[in-house]
Amino acid sequence: MNPREGQERTAPETGTPSGGRNGPSAGARWSTPPQETGRPDSRAPDRKESEVRRMLRAGPYPPVPPDLGGRAAARGRRLLLRHRLLHRTGALLALAALLTLLIWAGVEQPWRPPPARTTPPVAGY
């Protein structure tokens, strides 16, 4: 008989049975000894993990094109160049907008009061 069989697992920090506030859950008992899983202090793999492992062991693996790595690297280079181009274009547009604002402010001088609309009285006419 396995020494852990029938024993409740405990949380390492508290020493209390794991499984939440209401006590151990249905999966809180060891279903397989840890030596069989290859992991000394962990639970047995769940159904999904077992299914994935079975699929990975079963094969056959789908064929991969021999030039896949080169195509992926070329696509990465294209994306990087596109990113850099967009970044530089945005920076140039922002610089052009700032330059336009500075030229407009220098010509119009919007901080000055507007000229008076009435003409001064004419004397000596």
Side-chain angles (χ1 to χ4, degrees):
M1 182 174 176
N2 185 4
R4 290 191 181 234
E5 193 171 328
Q7 294 179 354
E8 288 184 353
R9 291 183 297 145
T10 58
E13 299 85 24
T14 61
T16 60
S18 63
R21 185 172 31 154
N22 299 328
S25 64
R29 300 200 182 267
W30 291 98
S31 58
T32 57
Q35 293 81 15
E36 291 179 17
T37 62
R39 296 175 289 184
D41 288 330
S42 66
R43 295 183 314 146
D46 62 351
R47 182 189 56 82
K48 290 180 182 178
E49 184 179 346
S50 298
E51 181 70 17
V52 169
R53 289 182 185 277
R54 186 192 60 79
M55 289 171 58
L56 287 174
R57 273 187 245 116
Y61 303 109
V64 177
D67 63 337
L68 182 64
R71 288 188 346 218
R75 183 171 188 260
R77 276 192 300 275
R78 285 193 311 268
L79 288 174
L80 183 61
L81 290 175
R82 181 179 178 202
H83 176 75
R84 286 180 183 165
L85 177 69
L86 290 174
H87 187 266
R88 288 179 182 158
T89 302
L92 286 175
L93 285 174
L95 185 62
L98 179 65
L99 186 62
T100 303
L101 177 71
L102 290 176
I103 291 173
W104 171 80
V107 171
E108 291 294 320
Q109 298 179 352
W111 55 88
R112 287 191 158 176
R117 294 191 178 258
T118 59
T119 58
V122 179
Y125 177 61

